[in-house]
């Protein structure tokens, strides 16, 4: 991998309080905020060639997908193209991954359709506000908040979104009209009116799906090309590779040509995309109010109407983009800066709202095309962005003839890989309890997306809190009872630990001495100190001893500062057992400094 690209992946921002924070204008700090400076000085003609090929390949994929995803978002087709080019230029300067492409995606389009009521003004304002939230998270280094949404929750959401998006395109694939968008109503009305299927749309849609599947299989099973191969073989390999990579554009062109041929004859068996607004989008501020026939909707009312979308859309956008970036960084052996990625996607959404873009994020499918095409730097995005702009300026009149069934086929084939059938079997084998947040999220997302994500995250949080409040303990029976907490010890776990100790040591006849092995305890709080003090008193009343082993320095410091009566500490389990066997009555004694390792005594005296 080129050294400058490695530098691009390794540029990382320093945390608050570091020395570099005082030098925000130093060359290193500027390079962290503008990763382009890490690779541009070493840019070569070979990189230019590879970036051009990759950018062209992604552009031929992005244009038909943008038209299709606008349909998922419930917006006119031009809004998909308006959303497909700003990220290409912003990421050129700010991106830390050479593979990622920003633009409209199936899942983000689905969320937009939920929260913007198929109104372009709401979608554009949502892009602006989402970008502001994402920028703030990047500036404040709040990317860690995404870690609280667990993998099962994300998998449950993406699987539900895949079903919702895929089934939502069945109506276009079959040529059905006036089908509600709410999922359950959509399922009911689709089956109710299945007899109204238009044969032309159904046949063309199925043919397009078959072509896309065949071209994808050809692309996945192409043998690698070697320099020693004959020129003719290499040329044919390149031709097949280009055709299979640009399969979306080829299939859409084929479908549009078929539809145009019927249009010329005066008979049209397909439902067409129809007129697309021509030309580049006007540059204007996002709509902070909307004038309707019933009056003006204020900014405050628009924000209230979007409700939970102002949290769900920016968070899911960040999750999707950072997940894509991390996946390809790991695959191609470089590193990304997560907070810089937040800034890049946030600025993309803010600037995009000035050209009528709806919220965008990192696209897994187009990023895969970019990576497989051999892209070397984010400069490949410039080619993609220019291609989208050219299509807006010169090709919009041709989009009229694209059948909706062809776009539906593209969407269905694009989202099908997002449904992870293996995750259920994997979780059943690895940890069955993790199926709970996955299933809760999956099922509730069919009702309301925000409820599904919130419920799944809440279930995951409750599972996390339960493990903290009820940590596993390892018990060793022998001449002396040894109890070892398998994880950390915090205040929610103290009551469970107390009950465990009482049931095993003091509520038996006769009462037993106990060694509390604390190797895995790295910190304790005041509640734990009080609980341990009460336990020491209970043991003294019963005439037996409770001693501690394996205390780390911070924990030992806290316990000594608490001045617990009867507190005894030993550095090894053997010393503790020997001490308890030598004292038949296990009379409590003060802590002996010779039982504390010298380096710990020095630390305590410091």
């Amino acid at each position: 991998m080129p050294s400058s690209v490695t530098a691009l992946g390794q540029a990382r921002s320093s945390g608050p309080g570091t020395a570099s924070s005082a030098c925000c204008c130093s060359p290193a700090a500027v390079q962290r905020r503008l990763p382009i400076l890490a690779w541009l000085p070493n840019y070569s003609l070979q990189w230019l060639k590879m970036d051009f090929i990759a950018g062209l390949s992604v552009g031929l994929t992005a244009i038909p997908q943008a038209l299709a995803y606008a349909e998922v978002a419930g917006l006119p087709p031009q809004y998909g193209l308006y959303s497909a080019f700003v990220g290409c230029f912003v990421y050129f300067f700010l991106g830390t991954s050479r593979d990622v492409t920003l633009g409209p995606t199936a899942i983000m389009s689905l969320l937009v359709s939920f929260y913007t009521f198929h109104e372009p003004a709401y979608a554009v304002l949502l892009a602006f506000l989402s970008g502001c939230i994402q920028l703030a998270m990047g500036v404040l280094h709040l990317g860690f908040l995404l870690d609280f949404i667990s993998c099962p929750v994300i998998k449950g959401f993406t699987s539900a979104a895949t079903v919702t998006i895929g089934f939502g395109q069945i109506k276009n694939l079959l040529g059905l009209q006036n089908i509600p968008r709410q999922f359950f109503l959509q399922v009911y009305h689709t089956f109710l009116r299945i007899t109204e299927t238009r044969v032309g749309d159904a046949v063309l849609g199925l043919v397009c799906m078959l072509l896309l599947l065949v071209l994808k299989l050809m692309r996945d099973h192409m043998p690698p090309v070697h320099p020693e191969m004959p020129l003719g073989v290499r040329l044919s390999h390149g031709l097949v590779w280009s055709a299979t990579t640009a399969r979306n554009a080829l299939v859409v062109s084929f479908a549009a040509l078929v539809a145009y041929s019927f249009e010329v004859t005066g008979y049209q068996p397909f439902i067409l995309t129809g007129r697309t607004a021509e030309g580049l989008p006007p540059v204007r501020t996002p709509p902070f109010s909307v004038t309707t026939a019933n009056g003006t909707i204020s900014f405050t009312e628009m924000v209230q109407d979007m409700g939970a979308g102002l949290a769900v859309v920016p968070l899911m956008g960040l999750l999707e983009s950072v997940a894509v970036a991390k996946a390809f960084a790991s695959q191609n052996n470089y590193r990304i800066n997560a907070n810089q990625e937040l800034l890049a996607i946030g600025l993309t959404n803010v600037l995009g709202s000035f050209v009528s873009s709806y919220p965008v994020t990192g696209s897994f499918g187009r990023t895969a095309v970019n990576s497989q095409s051999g892209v070397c730097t984010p400069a490949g995005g410039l080619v993609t962005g220019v291609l989208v702009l050219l299509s807006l300026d010169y090709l919009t009149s041709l989009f009229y003839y694209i059948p909706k069934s062809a776009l539906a086929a593209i969407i269905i084939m694009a989202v099908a890989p997002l449904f992870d059938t293996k995750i259920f079997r994997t979780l059943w084998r690895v940890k069955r309890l993790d199926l709970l947040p996955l299933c809760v999220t999956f099922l509730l997302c069919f009702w309301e997306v925000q409820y599904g994500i919130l419920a799944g995250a809440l279930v995951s949080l409750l599972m996390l809190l339960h493990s903290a409040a009820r940590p596993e303990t390892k018990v060793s029976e022998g001449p002396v009872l040894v109890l070892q907490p398998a994880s950390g010890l915090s205040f929610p776990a103290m009551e469970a630990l107390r009950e465990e100790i009482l049931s095993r040591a003091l509520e038996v006849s006769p009462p037993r001495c106990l060694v509390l092995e604390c190797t895995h305890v790295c910190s304790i709080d005041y509640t734990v100190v009080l609980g341990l003090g009460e336990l020491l008193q209970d043991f003294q009343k019963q005439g037996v001893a409770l001693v501690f082993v394996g205390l780390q320095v911070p924990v030992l410091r806290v316990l000594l500062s608490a001045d617990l009566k009867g507190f005894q500490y030993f550095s090894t389990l053997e010393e503790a057992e020997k001490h308890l066997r030598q004292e038949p009555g296990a009379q409590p004694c003060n802590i002996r400094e010779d039982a504390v390792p010298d380096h710990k005594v020095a630390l305590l005296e410091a």
Side-chain angles (χ1 to χ4, degrees):
M1 183 175 59
S3 59
S4 64
V5 180
T6 305
L8 178 150
Q10 292 178 336
R12 286 176 288 175
S13 60
S14 58
T18 61
S20 61
S21 63
C23 304
C24 60
C25 295
S26 66
V30 172
Q31 190 177 96
R32 282 194 296 271
R33 290 305 180 202
L34 287 174
I36 183 177
L37 300 177
W39 54 266
L40 189 61
N42 297 323
Y43 202 75
S44 65
L45 287 176
Q46 177 63 23
W47 289 7
L48 177 62
K49 172 188 170 185
M50 299 304 297
D51 287 344
F52 180 81
I53 293 172
L56 191 63
S57 302
V58 173
L60 292 174
T61 303
I63 293 171
Q65 281 192 349
L67 295 170
Y69 291 152
E71 163 68 23
V72 176
L75 301 173
Q78 65 268 20
Y79 282 88
L81 295 173
Y82 294 166
S83 307
F85 65 87
V86 175
C88 301
F89 299 112
V90 172
Y91 206 78
F92 171 72
F93 293 99
L94 300 181
T96 61
S97 167
R98 66 172 185 259
D99 299 301
V100 166
T101 62
L102 300 180
T105 66
I107 290 177
M108 192 54 59
S109 300
L110 177 68
L111 293 176
V112 168
S113 74
F114 282 154
Y115 297 113
T116 62
F117 324 107
H118 313 146
E119 287 290 338
Y122 277 87
V124 175
L125 180 61
L126 181 58
F128 176 77
L129 296 176
S130 296
C132 291
I133 293 171
Q134 291 163 337
L135 274 176
M137 291 182 67
V139 171
L140 299 175
H141 297 267
L142 297 179
F144 72 90
L145 293 176
L146 303 178
D147 297 336
F148 286 93
I149 302 180
S150 65
C151 183
V153 173
I154 297 171
K155 289 291 186 179
F157 164 69
T158 54
S159 297
T162 299
V163 175
T164 302
I165 295 168
F167 196 89
Q169 293 307 307
I170 297 296
K171 62 181 186 295
N172 291 329
L173 196 71
L174 302 180
L176 302 177
Q177 294 180 301
N178 300 319
I179 301 293
R181 283 185 171 267
Q182 205 282 332
F183 179 74
F184 296 109
L185 291 176
Q186 195 174 81
V187 172
Y188 173 75
H189 283 277
T190 298
F191 284 108
L192 182 67
R193 302 168 61 178
I194 197 75
T195 55
E196 300 175 18
T197 298
R198 295 167 59 100
V199 176
D201 285 301
V203 171
L204 181 63
L206 293 174
V207 168
C208 289
M209 287 182 64
L210 182 61
L211 286 174
L212 289 168
L213 179 60
V214 170
L215 291 171
K216 183 180 186 303
L217 292 175
M218 290 176 61
R219 176 71 176 82
D220 293 341
H221 293 86
M222 284 186 65
V225 64
H226 301 290
E228 61 271 11
M229 288 182 173
L231 180 61
V233 174
R234 281 182 286 159
L235 287 175
S236 61
H237 184 281
L239 184 63
V240 173
W241 180 87
S242 302
T244 54
T245 300
R247 57 186 177 272
N248 288 330
L250 285 179
V251 168
V252 165
S253 301
F254 160 75
L257 187 61
V258 171
Y260 180 75
S261 301
F262 278 101
E263 187 82 8
V264 171
T265 64
Y267 171 70
Q268 187 55 265
F270 313 120
I271 298 176
L272 303 181
T273 298
R275 182 182 176 276
T276 302
E278 297 183 12
L280 301 176
V283 179
R284 58 193 175 194
T285 57
F288 294 105
S289 63
V290 178
T291 302
T292 65
N294 299 323
T296 300
I297 302 175
S298 67
F299 172 74
T300 303
E301 292 172 322
M302 293 177 73
V303 169
Q304 290 174 345
D305 289 340
M306 288 186 284
L310 292 173
V312 174
V313 170
L315 285 178
M316 295 311 299
L318 293 177
L319 271 175
E320 190 173 359
S321 188
V322 172
V324 168
K326 286 184 176 180
F328 282 88
S330 175
Q331 175 180 309
N332 295 322
N333 196 30
Y334 63 89
R335 297 182 65 184
I336 66 158
N337 182 335
N339 279 305
Q340 182 67 22
E341 291 295 305
L342 302 191
L343 295 175
I345 188 173
L347 189 60
T348 295
N349 280 320
V350 169
L351 295 181
S353 67
F354 286 84
V355 289
S356 302
S357 165
Y358 67 81
V360 301
T361 185
S363 165
F364 190 90
R366 294 193 296 277
T367 298
V369 171
N370 207 25
S371 178
Q372 293 164 1
S373 301
V375 70
C376 293
T377 71
L382 295 181
V383 181
T384 302
V386 169
L387 203 60
V388 173
L389 289 174
L390 290 175
S391 71
L392 273 168
D393 216 15
Y394 298 105
L395 300 180
T396 46
S397 59
L398 301 179
F399 297 154
Y400 177 92
Y401 297 101
I402 298 176
K404 286 192 173 183
S405 59
L407 295 179
I410 287 177
I411 294 172
I412 292 172
M413 296 303 294
V415 301
L418 296 178
F419 191 92
D420 190 354
T421 56
K422 297 179 181 178
I423 188 65
F424 297 93
R425 185 171 64 253
T426 302
L427 290 181
W428 181 264
R429 187 175 64 250
V430 176
K431 188 177 182 182
R432 296 177 184 178
L433 191 59
D434 281 340
L435 284 169
L436 182 59
L438 184 144
C439 292
V440 167
T441 306
F442 179 76
L443 294 174
L444 288 183
C445 276
F446 290 117
W447 175 33
E448 289 284 351
V449 171
Q450 68 267 28
Y451 295 151
I453 296 173
L454 182 62
L458 183 60
V459 170
S460 295
L461 184 60
L462 289 175
M463 290 167 55
L464 181 64
L465 292 176
H466 182 270
S467 64
R470 297 293 182 268
E472 294 183 4
T473 53
K474 180 181 178 182
V475 180
S476 300
E477 297 281 355
V480 176
L481 183 64
V482 180
L483 191 145
Q484 180 185 42
S487 58
L489 190 58
S490 55
F491 68 91
M494 190 58 225
E495 187 59 31
L497 179 67
R498 177 182 174 82
E499 291 177 1
E500 178 85 7
I501 291 175
L502 291 178
S503 64
R504 291 185 177 275
L506 299 185
E507 294 177 358
V508 297
S509 182
R512 303 181 63 185
C513 296
L514 184 136
V515 177
L516 191 59
E517 218 285 353
C518 300
T519 304
H520 300 302
V521 179
C522 58
S523 65
I524 58 175
D525 52 50
Y526 181 66
T527 303
V528 174
V529 171
L530 287 181
L532 294 177
E534 291 174 359
L535 281 173
L536 286 170
Q537 292 178 13
D538 292 338
F539 272 80
Q540 286 179 338
K541 290 176 182 177
Q542 296 285 343
V544 289
L546 168 64
V547 300
F548 296 80
V549 166
L551 290 172
Q552 298 185 29
V553 173
V555 178
L556 181 58
R557 191 192 305 273
V558 171
L559 292 175
L560 290 176
S561 300
D563 195 23
L564 299 178
K565 185 179 180 182
F567 173 63
Q568 299 178 91
Y569 163 77
F570 297 90
S571 58
T572 65
L573 182 60
E574 290 75 14
E575 289 183 9
E577 292 179 341
K578 181 179 178 181
H579 172 76
L580 293 177
R581 285 196 298 267
Q582 287 176 350
E583 296 184 14
Q587 296 297 322
C589 62
N590 295 326
I591 182 170
R592 300 175 302 152
E593 287 198 358
D594 61 341
V596 182
D598 293 339
H599 66 282
K600 294 189 177 182
V601 173
L603 282 171
L604 290 171
E605 292 174 349

